[in-house]
Amino acid sequence: MPANQPLYAYIHGQITPLEQAFLHVSDLAIQRGYGVFDFFKVHAAQPLFLDYYLNRFYQSAQLMELTVPLARPALIEVIQALIRRNDLPLSGIKMILTGGYSADGYNPVEPNLLIIQQPLMLPTPEQVARGIKVITHDYLREIPPAKTINYSMGIRLIKQIKAQDADDVLYHHQGFVTEFPRANFFLVKHDNTVVTPATNVLAGITRRNVLALTEQPYPVTVGTVTLDDIYQAKEAFLTSTTKRVLPVVQIDDVVLGTGKPGPVTMALLQALLQMEEQQQQTVVIN
Ligand SMILES: Cc1ncc(COP(=O)(O)O)c(C=O)c1O
């Protein structure tokens, strides 16, 4: 696709130029912040790990008492049509389901489904080699297994993150570590075992993929992770669809290990990249 060619979105049951994709002010997403979404990568016209993202999208909708207006095969057809129309080499697709146009601004009605596709930026090799610094904050998302559109706490903390010269914030609840606003957390212990919080987190698809890397010499498990554990960690990293595996080198005032991305983190990143490459060969959309 030539640069600056207009993008298309799916809204109100049809594919429309993105610049004409609007919701009415009565939508519950605007009135009450009520809605769910999901987000997956598309590489060379193939969505990666689409099944898992669709499962989570339908599950989030169910948890929030919303009905996706399209059954799975119809939703896949729309995704397919949008990918063909936009023809982007590397992109992210966001499916958003809102509470709909509510007459009284509170009672949910028929949900609105929107699908947008935009070019994607992945972390650069320099960012990976540097790793990130994070601060911690006590906060528990309201319905952790649902991917809702409410990111108020994360957004509210952006100024504080910048003021502390940090890159992100890691949530814990009463000392039990959970996740980042938009990513999951993993730590590497001194015996090279790897653990990610078991509960009160979104079941990240990248987290799932890292947990599935059973060929690695490092056992990756789910478990309890406390603030004490993370300050003692040998290495730490976050996972997400856009960041893949990104090393964390400092948490609050504590520099982890050498202060540089460690070998276990880098090995898992390589293994994940291989898994993504294999997935790219799996043709989902013709
Ligand atoms: C709260 C939360 N946790 C974790 C993740 C990472 O999930 P995934 O690997 O599926 O991108 C996200 C993604 O946006 C998120 O919003």
Side-chain angles (χ1 to χ4, degrees), residues 31-81:
Q31 296 273 343
R32 307 281 174 181
Y34 202 81
V36 298
F37 77 106
D38 222 298
F39 178 87
F40 56 88
K41 272 190 298 210
V42 178
H43 191 266
Q46 293 304 321
L48 302 188
F49 310 105
L50 182 63
D51 267 350
Y52 298 118
Y53 289 96
L54 292 181
N55 289 347
R56 187 172 65 184
F57 184 53
Y58 282 98
Q59 200 202 349
S60 296
Q62 202 177 17
L63 285 166
M64 298 301 283
E65 305 285 342
L66 294 171
T67 305
V68 182
L70 296 180
R72 202 173 169 113
L75 179 55
I76 293 173
E77 266 181 36
V78 170
I79 291 168
Q80 179 174 9

Side-chain angles (χ1 to χ4, degrees), residues 26 72 93 119 128 228 258 273:
S26 63
R72 202 173 169 113
I93 287 190
V128 175
D228 279 347
T258 59
L273 286 171

Side-chain angles (χ1 to χ4, degrees), residues 221-234:
T221 54
V222 300
T224 302
V225 176
T226 65
L227 278 179
D228 279 347
D229 295 332
I230 64 175
Y231 297 135
Q232 310 287 330
K234 190 175 165 195

Side-chain angles (χ1 to χ4, degrees), residues 159-192:
K159 271 192 192 155
Q160 200 173 312
I161 294 167
K162 285 197 182 135
Q164 300 197 41
D165 206 19
D167 302 284
D168 210 338
V169 57
L170 176 60
Y171 295 142
H172 66 93
H173 184 54
Q174 299 171 347
F176 292 96
V177 173
T178 56
E179 62 191 341
F180 292 90
R182 296 171 296 166
N184 290 109
F185 177 77
F186 286 73
L187 73 76
V188 183
K189 296 183 182 172
H190 284 270
D191 63 1
N192 281 344

Side-chain angles (χ1 to χ4, degrees), residues 133-134 230-233 248-257:
K133 173 186 167 184
V134 306
I230 64 175
Y231 297 135
Q232 310 287 330
V248 173
V249 294
Q250 185 174 342
I251 304 178
D252 294 325
D253 293 331
V254 180
V255 174
L256 302 186

